[in-house]
Structure formats: C-alpha cells, structure tokens
Amino acid sequence: GVALQLVDGDIVASGSLEDLWGQWLDLVWKQDDAGAFLTLGQELMVPIAGNHEAEAAQFYANWAIPGDLEQYASFDVGNTHFVAVDDQFAQLQKDFTQPPASTLLAWLDADLNRANQNRANVPFIVVMGHRGLYSTSNHATDGDVLAARGALAPLFDKYAVDLVFNGHDHEYERSAMLHANTTDPTQDPTIVQSGG
C-alpha cells in the first residue's frame, strides 16, 4: 500500500562511480523467477541529490526526476503536496541573491504559496531536502547546513510546512514543530534522537 518512497540523498558513497549505481539498482530491481520484484522495484521512488551524489552526471542519468533542472520539483499524491529541493546550493554558494540559489528560492516561495492556498483540497505540505536544518548530529553546525537553514526555514515557517525530511547525517531524529528562530537545536527538548 505504499504510494511512493522519498529518498533524501546520499544513495551511494560517491555519485560519480557508475558501478555503485549499478550495484544499488540491481538490488532494487531484483526479481524472482516469475518476474516479480523482491524488494523496492515495484514502488515509485522520488530522489533528491545529497552531497555524496555531488551533482554527478551519473545521478541524473540513473533517475528520472521531475521539475526544473532536476533540482527541485513538486507534485501532489492524495492529500499531500510533496516538494523536493536539492539544497546543494548551500555548500556551493553563500550568496543566495544570485542564481542558482535565488532561482530555486523564488520557485520554492511560489510553489509553497500555491500549495498553502490549496490546503482545502490538499491539506498537507511535506518537503524533502538533504541537509538537516535542525540536526543535533555531526553536521549540526556546518556552514552549509546553517546557510540552508537561513535560506529555507523562513519559507517553511511562512507557509506552515507540515513535515520536512532530510538525510545528511545518516541517522534518525524527530521533533515537535521547529521554527526559523530556533538557533541551537541541540538545546531543544522537543528533539528526540536515535543513533544512526
């Protein structure tokens, strides 16, 4: 009964190594003697790049990603508006007033605005990116994570995004609703941590 899987980056250790993609995809598409998928191959997967993919051509060659430049996209499934955002710009660019970051942020603002106005029909908004904006783990204070938080969290607040998935720290955390003015997530008692 799973409608889709969100894959929030770092799918393989190095996105430029095609043999890693081949190994991963062979396992996903493994079939039994009758041709039925044994694992995840029968389910729609929507990925977004992480830092391990490093914007490598092999990532884009192995996935059909909707949206502009395959770096951001949105779609509705049932009662939920899903948004996929490649936040790699946070590592590559600190000035968010210039493309490509400014282009992505303008698109995200417009998309979340439309989704927020459509809540009577599609009441939930879920965003998937790579960097954990409020992680308490290894990357919590990295410059690119803080830059992504400064650029993305205000938009998530502005449009009351219901849920955000990230993958950068390779571990599991959850929290109550956090807001853009949260400055030190390691001191927030609403975050529940679990090893990764």
Side-chain angles (χ1 to χ4, degrees):
V2 174
L4 63 97
Q5 295 181 61
L6 303 177
V7 184
D8 49 18
D10 292 355
I11 301 167
V12 296
S14 178
S16 63
L17 299 178
E18 184 59 36
D19 63 317
L20 295 179
W21 290 109
Q23 291 172 27
W24 194 87
L25 291 168
D26 285 348
L27 291 171
V28 167
W29 292 326
K30 188 171 181 159
Q31 299 175 353
D32 65 15
D33 293 336
F37 287 108
L38 296 173
T39 59
L40 308 174
Q42 74 277 8
E43 297 174 4
L44 173 63
M45 289 185 213
V46 179
I48 200 70
N51 59 301
H52 288 248
E53 282 75 35
E55 306 295 328
Q58 291 83 350
F59 171 75
Y60 298 104
N62 281 295
W63 296 97
I65 304 169
D68 295 342
L69 307 174
E70 298 182 305
Q71 295 178 318
Y72 43 92
S74 66
F75 52 91
D76 296 342
V77 176
N79 65 358
T80 305
H81 181 75
F82 290 93
V83 181
V85 176
D86 181 350
D87 56 23
Q88 187 69 4
F89 70 85
Q91 181 174 344
L92 302 174
Q93 182 180 2
K94 303 301 183 212
D95 179 2
F96 299 118
T97 64
Q98 300 297 315
S102 62
T103 305
L104 181 144
L105 293 173
W107 173 87
L108 181 61
D109 186 61
D111 183 78
L112 291 175
N113 184 34
R114 279 189 302 276
N116 196 44
Q117 291 178 18
N118 191 34
R119 284 194 188 258
N121 299 312
V122 183
F124 300 105
I125 300 174
V126 173
V127 174
M128 171 183 62
H130 183 63
R131 284 160 178 77
L133 304 185
Y134 294 103
S135 168
T136 65
S137 193
N138 297 337
H139 297 292
T141 59
D142 290 359
D144 57 335
V145 171
L146 297 177
R149 182 191 305 170
L152 298 173
L155 289 175
F156 298 164
D157 274 2
K158 181 178 179 181
Y159 298 112
V161 168
D162 296 291
L163 184 62
V164 178
F165 288 108
N166 304 111
H168 193 42
D169 281 298
H170 301 229
E171 50 94 48
Y172 176 78
E173 291 184 357
R174 69 179 190 268
S175 73
M177 185 68 73
L178 295 172
H179 297 282
N181 61 359
T182 302
T183 57
D184 186 358
T186 62
Q187 301 302 311
D188 193 312
T190 66
I191 295 177
V192 176
Q193 298 180 30
S194 178

